[in-house]
Amino acid sequence: MDKQTITIYDVAREANVSMATVSRVVNGNPNVKPATRKKVLEVIDRLDYRPNAVARGLASKKTTTVGVIIPDVSNMYFSSLARGIDDVATMYKYNIILANSDGDTQKEVNVLNNLLAKQVDGVIFMGHRITDEIRGEFSRSKTPVVLAGSIDPDEQVGSVNIDYTNATKDAVNLLAKNGNEKIAFVSGALIDPINGQNRLQGYKEALKENDLDYNEGLIFEAKYNFKDGISLVSRLKNSGATAAFVTDDELAIGILDGLVDEGVNVPEDFEILTSNNSLLTEVARPRLSSITQPLYDIGAVSMRLLTKMMNKEEVEEKTIILPYGIDEKGSTK
């Protein structure tokens, strides 16, 4: 028998029981005699029968799958979030389809539509910003969506984050208290509200509190990768900055290595404070001081919020803010 075509009907016939009995065995229903269960399981094993999740989904209108859209699967920030998502998904018996969007707006829309075509019950989105186009797709689909580590300034979509404004303010305050008068702000695209609104606001508030002038020449945009960090170093040195607040750990390591290559001592001559406290901050030398984020928890809480929305449970708060801290290591004085 071709195992691709084996159905619940074949199992029932071979075991000489009804399809309802096979269904009860497969779904763990206790109302089956032990001898019958044993016989059915032996047939399932012999035929290598696998229940068809798609067919089950059509019957129940649920596929028990969740789509997770991630901008860069190799970035430790996003992979830590994904781990938290996966563990909670497993706990609630959901399967995950992970899709990489490369942070590209058009690809995000395509990836989202591909997931919706697979009839996912919900989506966790980890893009850098919510474009009008992607928001339109969210509202059209009627599928529950939660943002993890991404903000919706309009608060229409459920989201789980830290308070990026105050976290940045605390980080820049620390650099200012250490005597730095020219502090660079190094982030991803400022068009992303998490950077251009929340973090930049925190940066400006900290400068004001420390009687420091805001200077456009100290604002740097970069991609979240090691090479961009290295290539920024000459511009950072020319700006006169003696410290940098950086919004991504891989980018921060690029800056650190670039400075060391140029003979700049960190933290004696230049201080760095990064944002995600991923494993990268520990493997760097000196270790990187960082804002601490509960990365795993952001993923786990976002998945739990999504399970509530998918099951139409009451959700008291759609915008969830988790605690942060600052861990001073070797890249600050």
Side-chain angles (χ1 to χ4, degrees), residues 27 30 39 48 63 71 124 144 178 187 196 225 263 271 276 278 292 314-315 326:
N27 291 304
K39 181 168 64 170
D48 194 18
T63 56
I124 291 181
N178 286 355
S187 83
N225 64 50
E271 294 185 68
N276 298 333
S278 69
T292 61
E314 194 178 326
V315 175
I326 291 189

Side-chain angles (χ1 to χ4, degrees), residues 83-101:
R83 183 68 196 270
I85 292 167
D86 190 48
D87 282 0
V88 174
T90 303
M91 193 190 304
Y92 285 91
K93 296 187 167 53
Y94 282 92
N95 297 309
I96 286 222
I97 303 174
L98 197 63
N100 202 59
S101 70

Side-chain angles (χ1 to χ4, degrees), residues 236-237 241 254 291:
L236 276 169
K237 284 175 72 180
I291 291 168

Side-chain angles (χ1 to χ4, degrees), residues 111-253:
V111 162
L112 176 63
N113 283 322
N114 285 340
L115 290 172
L116 295 174
K118 290 184 170 76
Q119 307 291 314
V120 293
D121 296 333
V123 172
I124 291 181
F125 182 82
M126 290 193 254
H128 294 301
R129 69 189 170 103
I130 311 304
T131 60
D132 290 341
E133 204 174 353
I134 204 100
R135 189 189 293 283
E137 298 295 332
F138 286 162
S139 57
R140 237 194 322 280
S141 77
K142 302 287 188 287
T143 302
V145 177
V146 170
L147 311 178
S150 306
I151 60 168
D152 175 14
D154 298 345
E155 296 195 359
Q156 291 177 5
V157 185
S159 63
V160 183
N161 292 283
I162 63 163
D163 182 339
Y164 300 107
T165 304
N166 279 321
T168 303
K169 185 175 163 183
D170 289 351
V172 176
N173 264 332
L174 189 149
L175 294 171
K177 296 278 185 294
N178 286 355
N180 297 290
E181 294 183 4
K182 285 196 168 184
I183 301 166
F185 177 88
V186 185
S187 83
L190 291 173
I191 196 170
D192 301 347
I194 207 166
N195 295 321
Q197 291 176 30
N198 298 43
R199 283 171 167 148
L200 193 58
Q201 183 190 334
Y203 171 75
K204 288 176 175 176
E205 285 177 10
L207 293 183
K208 200 170 179 184
E209 281 185 16
N210 291 280
D211 295 323
L212 299 174
D213 293 331
Y214 174 72
N215 176 353
E216 287 279 348
L218 292 171
I219 307 299
F220 298 88
E221 290 180 84
K223 289 195 171 72
Y224 287 155
N225 64 50
F226 179 75
K227 282 184 179 169
D228 264 42
I230 286 182
S231 63
L232 270 179
V233 166
S234 58
R235 287 172 58 205
L236 276 169
K237 284 175 72 180
N238 292 337
S239 74
T242 59
F245 165 72
V246 189
T247 66
D248 177 76
D249 295 351
E250 191 177 326
L251 186 58
I253 285 203

Side-chain angles (χ1 to χ4, degrees), residues 4 31-32 42 180 191 211 215 218 269 288 318:
Q4 292 300 321
N31 298 328
V32 183
E42 279 169 358
N180 297 290
I191 196 170
D211 295 323
N215 176 353
L218 292 171
D269 305 327
L288 286 168
K318 268 203 323 188

